[in-house]
């Protein structure tokens, strides 16, 4: 299998700093995934290290490669959810 390519929006050092400085757990995991892949780890290794599925890793990388750091962020915190039924 081919190795996943990460667009150089940030340097490996900047990715590591972002991973280590993240306060939100999901954000930290996403940053760790991008950082590990940028360092040359294979998706199967990253999946084993982080516990995320390879398909989710591909989705995360797709967003990061398109939009940079904003493509890999967790947008659930900004979603208020549906209006109450009552």
């Amino acid at each position: 299998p081919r190795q996943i390519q990460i667009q150089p929006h940030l340097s490996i050092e900047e990715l590591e700093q972002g991973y280590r400085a993240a306060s939100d757990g999901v954000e930290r995991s996403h940053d760790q995934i991008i950082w590990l892949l940028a360092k040359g780890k294979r998706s199967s290794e990253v999946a084993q290290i982080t516990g995320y599925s390879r398909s989710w890793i591909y989705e995360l990388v797709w967003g990061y490669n398109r939009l940079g750091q904003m493509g890999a962020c967790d947008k659930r915190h900004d979603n208020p959810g549906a209006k109450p039924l009552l």
Side-chain angles (χ1 to χ4, degrees):
R2 293 183 349 188
Q3 188 168 348
I4 295 176
Q5 298 296 314
I6 301 294
Q7 294 296 317
H9 297 291
L10 298 170
S11 69
I12 292 176
E13 292 79 21
E14 291 170 320
L15 290 169
E16 181 181 12
Q17 288 171 357
Y19 154 63
R20 298 206 184 277
S23 59
D24 180 70
V26 174
E27 178 186 350
R28 182 179 175 92
S29 295
H30 291 184
D31 289 350
Q32 180 186 27
I33 289 168
I34 299 298
W35 171 58
L36 290 171
L37 291 169
K39 285 179 43 177
K41 299 266 188 215
R42 297 223 174 254
S43 60
S44 57
E45 290 178 275
V46 174
Q48 187 174 16
I49 291 168
T50 62
Y52 281 79
S53 69
R54 287 176 63 193
S55 62
W56 176 247
I57 290 170
Y58 294 140
E59 288 289 325
L60 187 64
V61 169
W62 180 79
Y64 178 81
N65 283 344
R66 276 189 44 242
L67 303 172
Q69 195 66 21
M70 290 306 297
C73 70
D74 182 25
K75 297 173 186 71
R76 290 179 288 180
H77 296 298
D78 299 329
N79 185 353
K83 291 182 181 179
L85 296 175
L86 298 175

